[in-house]
Amino acid sequence: MVLLHHADPATGTARALAHETSVTPTYAEYQHHLHQQIHRLVDENRFDEVVMVGERPVVAVQNDLRRRLHPHIALVPARCLPSVRVVALGGMSESGKSTAGEYLRTRHGHARLKIGYLIGEAAHRTGIGSPYALAPVVRAELLLDSLDRYATAHHFLDRITLESLHDFHATAELRRMLGGQLTIAYIETAAGLRALRGTAGPTDVALRDEVKVTRGAAQIVFPLLIPPWDEVVAYFTWRPSVALSILNPLVTLPRLFLLGTFTYASHK
């Protein structure tokens, strides 16, 4: 089995080099010859399976690999998050993330999972003592590993919520890995209302906000939630009286939207 970036070796070479932080002329030449030779072997039918990665997200490629390998190697799982829709909820402290997650669970059948729990489980399995000291891409991989295992053990689930997004860079990596299966929902609530909702008082809410800000939680809104103009973006007003009803569009909207301070709008 061989994985190709693209059917054209020149395009494949360019995509391989784009993943590197720095490229020397020697390494670029090596990649050029490597892709030429691999494509030559493909043209000679030297591989039983050829997987074209293209623009697909990591999970889609992993699912394709498992589908091909499982009939031959029983230890390889059959699928990777097949047809599972994931809604990841973000927002500052006491913004209503848990309320949104519970609404999706009770009204639309989503399973609620905590990001900290998933990362902790993966870290325990792999013997990692301080997972939050790792690079964002590694934390996203740990989260995805636990999410995949959970979905495999609960094969009847097709909708899951993740609570809650606090790290901008890890969120960006998670979006890259899940692609269109991921919906990022950022819930923005007035600071005064959030302070009133804090059970330990407004000072506690402010302190927790400071931690989230240092992790880039507020950055998740932009640019991760700005879609192309041919996608739909929804804006809502978050009020206590409509805290549940405003989430109805979650079921049908594409993966990018913002819960904020405007009325619903769509762009084509």
Side-chain angles (χ1 to χ4, degrees), residues 14-244:
R15 289 184 179 176
L17 294 174
H19 290 292
E20 304 294 336
T21 55
S22 62
V23 176
T24 64
T26 301
Y27 183 72
E29 187 68 15
Y30 159 75
Q31 282 291 339
H32 169 73
H33 285 291
L34 176 64
H35 279 74
Q36 291 289 343
Q37 293 305 313
I38 290 176
H39 278 263
R40 177 182 61 80
L41 295 174
V42 169
D43 292 339
E44 294 174 359
N45 298 316
R46 300 283 290 273
F47 299 96
D48 293 325
E49 298 276 358
V50 178
V51 178
M52 197 66 64
V53 175
E55 300 290 344
R56 291 186 296 169
V58 172
V59 166
V61 176
Q62 180 68 209
N63 188 57
D64 193 3
L65 288 171
R66 294 184 185 185
R67 179 182 58 81
R68 296 168 187 251
L69 290 173
H70 180 71
H72 308 287
I73 307 173
L75 291 177
V76 175
R79 304 294 297 273
C80 180
L81 295 170
S83 304
V84 176
R85 301 291 302 180
V86 180
V87 177
L89 300 168
M92 302 305 284
S93 304
E94 303 298 336
S95 59
K97 301 182 294 295
S98 296
T99 302
E102 184 63 9
Y103 174 83
L104 290 173
R105 185 187 71 83
T106 57
R107 298 294 185 90
H108 300 290
H110 287 65
R112 292 180 63 187
L113 296 176
K114 294 290 187 179
I115 289 177
Y117 169 78
L118 294 174
I119 292 177
E121 283 289 293
H124 178 73
R125 283 194 303 271
T126 53
I128 297 174
S130 302
Y132 291 96
L134 301 173
V137 63
V138 180
R139 295 200 303 274
E141 289 172 345
L142 291 174
L143 192 162
L144 194 58
D145 177 50
S146 287
L147 181 62
D148 175 36
R149 292 170 186 269
Y150 184 90
T152 300
H154 302 79
H155 57 86
F156 50 86
L157 291 175
D158 61 358
R159 283 164 285 186
I160 292 173
T161 61
L162 297 178
E163 305 168 35
S164 58
L165 299 172
H166 293 164
D167 187 301
F168 171 80
H169 296 290
T171 300
E173 293 293 345
L174 189 64
R175 179 182 167 192
R176 179 181 64 83
M177 294 174 187
L178 280 166
Q181 288 181 249
L182 175 66
T183 298
I184 299 172
Y186 186 90
I187 303 175
E188 188 173 77
T189 307
L193 178 57
R194 294 192 295 104
L196 291 173
R197 294 186 62 187
T199 57
T203 302
D204 175 67
V205 174
L207 291 174
R208 285 187 284 146
D209 276 355
E210 289 180 8
V211 175
K212 290 181 173 64
V213 168
T214 61
R215 295 175 179 172
Q219 293 178 268
I220 292 172
V221 185
F222 303 105
L224 292 183
L225 295 179
I226 299 179
W229 289 111
D230 62 351
E231 300 229 19
V232 177
V233 57
Y235 299 89
F236 299 93
T237 299
W238 181 263
R239 304 188 190 94
S241 59
V242 293
L244 298 182

